[in-house]
Structures are given as structure tokens and as C-alpha cells.
Amino acid sequence: MGRYPGLAGAAPIKHKNRYFDKKAKSIIKIGIKMAGIFCRWSFLLHTERAMKTPLDFNVSPDQLIIPRLAGFYNQFAQPLGWLLLRVALGGWLLIEGWPKILDPLGQVGFVENIGFHPGWLFSPLLAIIQVLGGLAIVLGLYTRAFALANAVMLFTTVWYHLHFPYDIEPLLSADGIAAIKEATTLVTANGARRLADGGVALLSTLQHKAVQLSSLWAFGCLFFAAFGGGLISLDRKLRKTF
């Protein structure tokens, strides 16, 4: 009850939780360290001593219990898996960013709230990074640059979810919960079930999913920022890329 003062009828308390501040700083530090590790690893893998050709992840038949699988892995599974992961990652960025393109100033309040001023500049920039970056990642065009830009954006999103969590307080006060129980025609059975505790469990699930998915998304972008678009990409057709 202490974490959700609304249930006790008290006024909402402004969020100043040192626990979330520490977690936010930790996730940013982890992201920076992982970015450095990925960049160093990518550099080593792309030297002539480490690899015969870029993206030389070929599996030797001698390494496999079933040697004949080497051709399947090298010529089909690995290139296709790389492509599908890239298309999924970029595709979701494109879908997520499209509404922002339609309303380029719709995120002004959000970006300024997390310290990016002026909002009229960073709100459209956020939309462009997601849409243009998502499309570029899908196509495998200048993959590293666009993936890195989106990784920075997504780690900022992770920080935001940790610093301003969904489950800071429930959706309903104690009086609201009682009102729903009495006026059963106001909500569906599903709504009544999810709001029976004021929405605490619902918001907790939403918070965990937001942090988990944004983290996976961010590290996925870091992967492509380090290793590029793969064998099936437009980057392979360019004379030079990032």
C-alpha cells in the first residue's frame, strides 16, 4: 500500500525514487560499455588476421556432429537468419515511427521532458531516425550508421522507462475500485478483472515489457551497428560504406 498512495486515499506523491535513478544510470553505463565492446570486437573480426573475408562466419564440417550440415548453415541458414533479424528489427522501427512522421511535432512535450531542447527540432528528428533508419536497416543500406543512431535512441527510451515507470501508482484509487465493483455495467468483465486491484498488475506487466523490449531492440541495433547488414544487403553492393 505504501508504494501506491492512491489506494489509501492520499494525494499522489511525485516520483523521486533513487532506486530507479540508479537503475537508469546503470543501464546507460552498460549500454556504453556494450557499444565499446561491440565496436572493438567488430574491428578485430574485420582484420585480415581474424577473418579471410568480411562476415566470414563459415562453419567447418569438422566442427559438426553432422558434417553435411555445414553447407546448409553457411549457404542458407546464416544469411537468411541475418536477413530476417534485420528485417524484423528495422520493420518494427518503421512501424513505430510512422505515426510520428504523420504528426512530426507530436513528441515535443515528450522530448523536452527528458531534456532534449528545442522540442520542435528533436521531435521530427526522432520520427526521421525511426522511419528512415528502420527502412535503411530493412534494406541493409548504410546499416551501421542507422543502427547506431537507433541504438542511442532506444537506450534513451530504456532510461525513460526506468526513470518514469508506468507502475509508479495505480490507475484507480480505492474509491474508483469500489465504484467499478458497484457499477458493473460501466466496464466489461475483462476490464473489471484487470482493474480489480486498481490496475497494479496490468501496469507492472506493462513496465516490465517496456523495459525488456526496448532493451532487446537497443542491443539488436548495437549488433548491426557492429557487424553491418550481412551478406544479403545493399551494403554489399556499395563500393564503400560505414
Side-chain angles (χ1 to χ4, degrees):
M1 294 290 289
R3 187 177 180 185
Y4 304 105
L7 289 180
I13 297 176
K14 187 177 180 181
H15 176 50
K16 291 184 178 180
N17 194 322
R18 294 182 180 180
Y19 171 73
F20 284 109
D21 291 342
K22 291 180 180 179
K23 289 193 70 175
K25 292 178 181 178
S26 298
I27 199 70
I28 293 173
K29 290 180 180 179
I30 291 173
I32 294 173
K33 289 181 180 179
M34 289 300 296
I37 292 172
F38 271 115
C39 290
R40 289 194 293 269
W41 192 13
S42 177
F43 174 77
L44 292 174
L45 289 175
H46 283 78
T47 59
E48 292 183 359
R49 292 183 180 180
M51 301 176 69
K52 295 179 181 179
T53 59
L55 302 176
D56 183 12
F57 294 107
N58 287 343
V59 179
S60 171
D62 297 334
Q63 297 175 294
L64 300 174
I65 296 175
I66 305 176
R68 291 185 178 182
L69 287 175
F72 172 76
Y73 292 146
N74 297 333
Q75 300 173 24
F76 179 76
Q78 289 183 6
L80 181 61
W82 204 288
L83 172 65
L84 292 177
L85 179 59
R86 200 187 71 230
V87 169
L89 191 75
W92 279 113
L93 282 170
L94 182 59
I95 293 172
E96 183 72 16
W98 187 250
K100 298 182 179 70
I101 284 288
L102 298 179
D103 184 16
L105 297 180
Q107 301 294 312
V108 170
F110 167 72
V111 295
E112 290 188 345
N113 188 45
I114 60 176
F116 290 89
H117 298 270
W120 59 262
L121 172 63
F122 284 100
S123 179
L125 183 60
L126 173 62
I128 292 171
I129 288 175
Q130 286 188 314
V131 172
L132 184 59
L135 180 61
I137 292 172
V138 168
L139 298 174
L141 180 64
Y142 297 118
T143 310
R144 287 188 177 90
F146 284 109
L148 182 59
N150 275 281
V152 172
M153 179 270 294
L154 287 163
F155 275 115
T156 303
T157 303
V158 173
W159 173 88
Y160 175 82
H161 286 311
L162 290 172
H163 201 71
F164 302 97
Y166 287 110
D167 57 352
I168 178 77
E169 60 183 4
L171 296 174
L172 298 177
S173 65
D175 292 339
I177 295 174
I180 285 181
K181 290 181 178 179
E182 293 177 1
T184 57
T185 58
L186 295 178
V187 293
T188 63
N190 183 45
R193 178 172 59 85
R194 294 184 181 278
L195 294 174
D197 61 350
V200 172
L202 176 63
L203 291 177
S204 179
T205 299
L206 182 62
Q207 171 66 14
H208 287 127
K209 293 297 182 183
V211 173
Q212 291 168 5
L213 292 177
S214 296
S215 299
L216 289 172
W217 220 349
F219 283 111
C221 284
L222 275 186
F223 174 84
F224 287 111
F227 292 101
L231 294 175
I232 308 174
S233 67
L234 292 181
D235 283 337
R236 302 288 288 182
K237 303 296 182 181
L238 301 176
R239 294 184 62 184
K240 290 186 177 181
T241 186
F242 288 98

